[in-house]
Amino acid sequence: MSLLLIVCPHCNDINRVPSECLTQKTPCDACKQVLFAQRPSKLTARNFQFYLSNNDIPVVVHFWSPSCGFNPAMEAAYTLATSRLEPWVRLARLNVEQEKTMAVRYKIDSTPTLIFFKSDREIARKSGVMTASEIMSWVSGYI
Ligand SMILES: [Zn+2]
């Protein structure tokens, strides 16, 4: 039995979940809400590094901008992909207009951009609008 560390998207508690018990319905030990809420977790400059360092599952981050005309379509596709891909990967999003320091740190020069992180390291990135099935296939290639 291996224990996976999973950060709760609601209260930021670090859960230890036996890998065979990990499902979309697994509740948080602290706040009792489900660890996977069928929608992307919201990241900020404050919790970004904590998320990357304390999740044993890969973390995909959608760097998005509210002023990008493609954003509504991409957000809908990403949310659908989240509900299909979790719990074996955590999908999250970060608003680059609110978190400009993060956009600079990760050299985001266009939105939308997806970055796939595993064990705190960037494994891959892809820019441009994608459909839900394109997101699922891209993410699945790295899990
Ligand atoms: Zn919680």
Side-chain angles (χ1 to χ4, degrees):
M1 180 177 90
S2 65
L3 288 175
L4 294 172
L5 299 185
I6 309 282
V7 176
C8 174
H10 311 288
C11 71
N12 285 332
D13 188 67
I14 302 171
N15 284 256
R16 288 167 200 281
V17 183
S19 56
E20 62 269 36
C21 298
L22 188 63
T23 72
Q24 288 193 331
K25 304 260 185 268
T26 304
C28 170
D29 284 339
C31 73
K32 309 299 179 199
Q33 298 186 73
V34 288
L35 289 174
F36 299 94
Q38 310 274 304
R39 59 179 181 272
S41 311
K42 190 180 172 199
L43 295 185
T44 63
R46 238 177 114 238
N47 67 359
F48 195 95
Q49 189 55 48
F50 180 81
Y51 243 71
L52 259 54
S53 305
N54 293 291
N55 270 301
D56 281 340
I57 52 174
V59 177
V60 176
V61 183
H62 171 204
F63 293 82
W64 68 285
S65 159
S67 63
C68 169
F70 295 113
N71 186 60
M74 182 65 180
E75 186 179 338
Y78 193 69
T79 300
L80 179 58
T82 302
S83 70
R84 302 280 167 81
L85 287 164
E86 289 183 342
W88 299 108
V89 58
R90 165 70 75 196
L91 278 80
R93 58 205 302 262
L94 179 129
N95 181 335
V96 296
E97 287 179 22
Q98 282 176 358
E99 305 291 351
K100 292 195 169 67
T101 56
M102 301 304 287
V104 171
R105 182 184 306 172
Y106 287 97
K107 301 182 171 61
I108 306 299
D109 46 25
S110 69
T111 57
T113 291
L114 298 185
I115 301 186
F116 188 105
F117 294 95
K118 201 170 193 173
S119 305
D120 225 350
R121 280 194 321 128
E122 177 176 338
I123 303 295
R125 73 166 64 194
K126 189 169 170 65
S127 294
V129 181
M130 287 184 265
T131 64
S133 62
E134 286 167 342
I135 295 168
M136 288 187 273
S137 125
W138 183 77
V139 170
S140 300
Y142 298 100
I143 294 177

